[in-house]
């Protein structure tokens, strides 16, 4: 895609900033982010032409001006922690549902042609069926998942009532540079890479045989670009690798990369953890022409490198 005017909500976050990097030098990119979890550092290598508006998507009085003249809106701004959503569901409803509804309405009012909404594999819940196919009945098991599901419905609703095109992308487990390892329930890849970079043991909950579908963040940015330009109005599309990897596999690959055994601290399984999750990627392949390109080994190498560089930059104390 090139020569488009693109608005990315949440562009200073982990995934949003990679999308900014990918699209920023071929397009006119603006991001709106309240920097609640995102950082300016995530945008430090973004093309200089990228504009950042530090504001919340809940400030609806600002949205008409922010939206005006854009060809595509990628809506990533959200609160993203499952356990935090259980503790503070109201905040999740406000940011993820009210925020999404306001973004969609403002986009439709400003005659933006398309919104790509970033949803989550969490909407599938913990049903044992795998792989997860888009046609399965969603079964959210946390306020986070429910708010993402309501966001999907809001896309469907506004598409039927206005000329706005909407595309829903259900992301599986993202990993890569800039993912914050410090959050209590941070992604395992970020936590593992941080532990290895700091020479600490890795915590494994349960037997380590639980599986996840990990997708490298650079591949996600590519998939999102395609979701913005292909004729997929009204579609719900899984974005994953299609492969299931166990947590023990991740430790083995890290050990191969670092050429040393990785110390592991075994912990009891956590109640509520989903055991197996893998995307059916047929639709992404058929409608977007998307296939994951980055092997887990390559992606983990890049993640580890970034983690070591980050550690090197951390203030001494
Ligand atoms: N990381 C994953 O594995 C994963 C998986 C599935 C879906 N997702 C979705 O992808 C999107 C990006 O997630 P991420 O992992 O990059 O998280 P992140 O926390 O790094 O990014 C979210 C960004 O949104 C911003 N934000 C939050 N509330 C805002 C508001 N009210 N107004 C403006 N900006 C606001 C934050 O400052 C941050 O920059 C989210 O919608 C998330 O639900 C992520």
């Amino acid at each position: 895609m090139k020569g488009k005017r693109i608005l990315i909500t949440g562009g200073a976050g982990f995934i949003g900033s990679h999308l900014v990097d990918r699209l920023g030098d071929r397009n006119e990119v603006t991001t709106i982010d309240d920097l609640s979890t995102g950082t300016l550092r995530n945008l430090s290598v973004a093309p200089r032409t990228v504009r950042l508006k530090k504001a919340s998507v809940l400030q609806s009085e600002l949205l008409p001006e922010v939206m005006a003249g854009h060809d595509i809106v990628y809506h990533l701004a959200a609160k993203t922690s499952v356990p935090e959503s259980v503790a503070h569901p109201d905040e999740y409803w406000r940011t993820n549902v009210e925020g999404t509804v306001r973004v969609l309405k403002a986009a439709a009012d400003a005659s933006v042609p398309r919104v790509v909404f970033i949803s989550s594999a969490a909407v599938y819940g913990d049903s044992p069926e795998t792989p997860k196919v888009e046609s399965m009945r969603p079964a959210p098991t946390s306020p986070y998942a429910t708010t993402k599901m309501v966001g999907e419905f809001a896309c469907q609703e506004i598409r039927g009532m206005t000329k706005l095109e909407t595309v829903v992308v259900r992301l599986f487990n993202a990993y890569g540079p800039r993912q914050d390892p410090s959050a209590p329930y941070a992604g395992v890849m970020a936590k593992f890479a941080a532990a290895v970079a700091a020479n600490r043991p890795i915590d494994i909950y349960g037997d380590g045989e639980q599986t996840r579908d990990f997708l490298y963040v650079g591949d996600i940015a590519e998939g999102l670009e395609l979701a913005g330009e292909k004729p997929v109005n009204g579609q719900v599309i899984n974005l994953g690798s299609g492969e299931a990897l166990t947590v023990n596999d991740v430790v083995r690959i890290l050990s191969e990369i670092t050429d040393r055994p990785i110390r592991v601290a075994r912990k009891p399984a956590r109640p509520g953890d989903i055991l197996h999750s893998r995307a059916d990627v047929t639709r992404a392949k058929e409608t977007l022409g998307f296939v994951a390109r980055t092997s887990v080994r390559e992606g983990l190498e890049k993640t580890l490198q970034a983690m070591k560089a980050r550690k090197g930059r951390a203030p001494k104390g």
Side-chain angles (χ1 to χ4, degrees), residues 9-16 32-39 42 55-58 75-80 95-96 117-122 144 148 170-175 178-179 220:
T9 74
F14 160 50
I15 298 171
I32 173 169
D33 196 304
D34 66 358
L35 303 184
S36 50
T37 57
T39 62
N42 285 343
S56 168
V57 293
L58 291 164
H75 180 44
L76 289 89
K79 289 185 162 291
T80 65
T95 302
N96 295 4
F117 173 61
I118 316 307
S119 183
S120 166
Y144 168 69
K148 284 289 173 182
R170 288 183 181 160
L171 283 188
F172 280 66
N173 288 72
Y175 75 100
R178 301 179 197 154
Q179 190 169 28
I220 293 178

Side-chain angles (χ1 to χ4, degrees), residues 3-16:
K4 300 280 185 203
R5 295 192 67 192
I6 298 169
L7 178 69
I8 300 174
T9 74
F14 160 50
I15 298 171

Side-chain angles (χ1 to χ4, degrees), residues 214-268:
F214 294 104
L215 188 59
Y216 183 68
V217 69
D219 292 357
I220 293 178
E222 182 185 349
L224 294 181
E225 176 173 0
L226 293 165
E229 63 186 353
K230 295 285 181 185
V232 285
N233 179 25
Q235 299 260 12
V236 175
I237 305 169
N238 285 341
L239 213 57
S241 68
E243 306 280 334
L245 207 70
T246 68
V247 169
N248 292 329
D249 287 334
V250 176
V251 174
R252 181 181 45 75
I253 296 169
L254 276 170
S255 166
E256 283 168 16
I257 292 172
T258 54
D259 201 21
R260 61 182 163 85
I262 304 286
R263 286 181 297 142
V264 166
R266 299 268 168 198
K267 306 260 163 111

